[in-house]
Amino acid sequence: MAAPLEVVVLGARIGGLAVLYWLRHRFPARAIRVTVVERWATGVFRPELVHALDRAPGFVDHLTLNTERAVRRVYQARWVHDTAVRIDPRARRVHLAAGAPLAYDVLFVATGVDPAWERIPGLGPEAGGICEAHLARHTAVDLAGHPPARLVLAAGPWSGDPASPHLTAGFDMPLFESALLWDGALRRRRRRDRHHIRIVTPAPVAAEGAGPAGRRRLTALLEQRGIAVTLGARYRAVEPGHIRLEDGEDVPYDRTIWTPPYAGSQLARASGIDDGYGWIPTDGYLRHPEWPSIYAVGDIGRLTVPKHGHQALIQARVAVTHLWATLHGRTPPAPYRPWALWALETGDGRALLDYVAPAPDGGLREWAWWGRPVAWAKDLFVITYLALGGHLPWMP
């Protein structure tokens, strides 16, 4: 009997759990031995952290997922509570911060990327954010106690190979959702006329990751709600009370909420498997072109739309199915093509859904809806995802 395939998965957030889902569905248990390396025993469903703007601080507790239990019980994988610090692709070893190196036959890297707060002078996590649980909790506490007259929601840039197409803003879509939620919260308190809301983004258009119809609907909502938007921002520095831009404009604020700049992964750089800019290059099957035993899923891969959970779900399916097809001499799946699926709550019990998918003719097709059923569907997805540990009845 052949020895089982040694599969190591780095990261157990949305992308990593999706890899485990497809491994379990494609391979019999006796054929593979899966080890997951993750530094946090519990995780949080980060897309919902935007509700720091319209809920009490305790909301974060209801978004928590026991990652270790899900990995062990739901996916029946070995759990290693540690941090990967270097990958040796030649020896097929993952070096850990505390434990002994792990050998692998196949490696899935789904660790995400590192925030690069230092890329903007004067910026740091203390400026406020919603990208991690502790930042969102602090934001909720601060807004509840001291509602600012001037709230600025600012997105850091997404830095990569200038020769490769990529979005300008690292993570601005949640800021549009947060601004609309804050607007709705203020209107319910009948205090909206006392507060100014502004979004600042490096992107040339609002919601550059969405399709044309979604951008038009979102832009109309922002205009109706009186939410100002500054596009094409190039940051010079963040100072108390002001964000200074390269064009000389000062953006005044009483409080800010940031999504940080992103400049790739230190793990990828330290391992010498990045593209020179911190991202892991891949082919259409999410496999490293030089080291075919390595797949990159989610933000860490160069072929992705940043900070987009739906992308990671699709990438996991393509990568694992490609592995299965390669090992069994089958026809590989269709290569991955970027999709976009955004569901933004608009603060009034409704949500905007924008869905951009590859069309059979090689182009793209888009559907955009706005209404209460979209908000209900989003709530149902979140509840189901958390209750089932990411093991959904259906996956894209």
Side-chain angles (χ1 to χ4, degrees):
M1 183 177 177
L5 192 73
E6 293 288 349
V7 179
V8 174
V9 180
L10 303 183
R13 291 188 175 183
I14 291 177
L17 292 181
V19 167
L20 296 179
Y21 175 98
W22 287 110
L23 287 171
R24 183 175 177 183
H25 277 69
R26 297 296 189 206
F27 292 90
R30 65 182 180 277
I32 59 173
R33 184 159 47 217
V34 181
T35 301
V36 177
V37 179
E38 172 57 61
R39 60 177 173 167
W40 303 112
T42 59
V44 66
F45 191 74
R46 290 189 292 172
E48 284 292 280
L49 293 179
V50 293
H51 283 291
L53 281 291
D54 70 343
R55 293 182 184 171
F59 86 100
V60 176
D61 299 330
H62 302 293
L63 301 177
T64 301
L65 174 66
N66 190 318
T67 312
E68 180 179 0
R69 183 170 60 192
V71 167
R72 292 183 185 276
R73 296 184 183 179
V74 178
Y75 301 103
Q76 300 174 3
R78 177 190 174 204
W79 167 268
V80 175
H81 194 183
D82 211 330
T83 301
V85 294
R86 186 170 65 86
I87 299 164
D88 183 344
R90 195 175 301 278
R92 294 191 181 185
R93 295 284 189 278
V94 176
H95 294 268
L96 305 178
L102 294 174
Y104 65 84
D105 296 313
V106 180
L107 177 68
F108 290 89
V109 185
T111 55
V113 291
D114 306 312
W117 297 95
E118 72 283 353
R119 289 292 178 111
I120 301 175
L123 181 63
E126 68 279 0
I130 52 171
C131 54
E132 295 291 352
H134 64 285
L135 294 177
R137 193 187 303 273
H138 179 74
T139 295
V141 170
D142 203 27
L143 292 180
H146 308 282
R150 297 172 299 180
L151 177 67
V152 173
L153 303 100
W158 183 266
S159 303
D161 183 353
S164 176
H166 59 82
L167 299 184
T168 311
F171 193 29
D172 65 353
M173 291 294 281
L175 298 181
F176 292 102
E177 186 171 15
S178 298
L180 290 166
L181 291 172
W182 180 236
D183 170 86
L186 292 173
R187 290 179 188 278
R188 288 191 293 274
R189 301 174 199 169
R190 301 183 183 278
R191 299 179 61 180
R192 178 64 179 91
D193 58 341
R194 309 177 195 175
H195 298 266
H196 181 75
I197 307 171
R198 172 180 275 194
I199 299 168
V200 181
T201 175
V205 295
E208 63 176 336
R215 285 198 296 270
R216 286 194 297 270
R217 171 63 76 173
L218 178 59
T219 299
L221 284 170
L222 295 172
E223 291 176 353
Q224 291 167 10
R225 306 286 183 83
I227 297 172
V229 180
T230 297
L231 301 171
R234 299 294 180 266
Y235 301 105
R236 177 181 297 172
V238 178
E239 300 175 358
H242 293 271
I243 300 173
R244 302 200 182 278
L245 304 181
E246 291 288 352
D247 63 4
E249 181 183 0
D250 281 357
V251 179
Y253 67 83
D254 297 308
R255 197 194 190 288
T256 57
I257 295 174
W258 282 83
T259 54
Y262 288 96
S265 160
Q266 183 57 37
L267 172 63
R269 290 190 184 92
S271 305
I273 61 172
D274 72 318
D275 62 354
Y277 295 88
W279 315 96
I280 297 180
T282 67
D283 61 16
Y285 299 107
L286 294 312
R287 188 169 61 169
H288 196 288
E290 183 179 356
W291 306 105
S293 61
I294 298 177
Y295 290 85
V297 172
D299 299 334
I300 198 169
R302 180 167 166 169
L303 186 65
T304 191
V305 174
K307 294 296 176 183
H308 192 203
H310 185 253
Q311 299 273 334
L313 298 180
I314 297 172
Q315 289 180 355
R317 172 179 55 79
V318 172
V320 173
T321 304
H322 177 267
L323 172 64
W324 177 87
T326 301
L327 294 175
H328 292 83
R330 303 293 183 85
T331 302
Y336 168 76
R337 289 180 60 195
W339 296 43
L341 176 64
W342 306 100
L344 280 73
E345 295 179 64
T346 55
D348 55 359
R350 290 177 283 189
L352 170 64
L353 177 69
D354 187 55
Y355 181 54
V356 182
D361 62 2
L364 294 172
R365 52 187 175 183
E366 179 186 13
W367 295 268
W369 298 274
W370 179 54
R372 297 186 188 280
V374 177
W376 301 336
K378 183 182 179 183
D379 288 342
L380 179 61
F381 175 85
V382 174
I383 292 169
T384 304
Y385 188 90
L386 292 171
L388 299 181
H391 197 273
L392 299 171
W394 47 266
M395 289 282 273

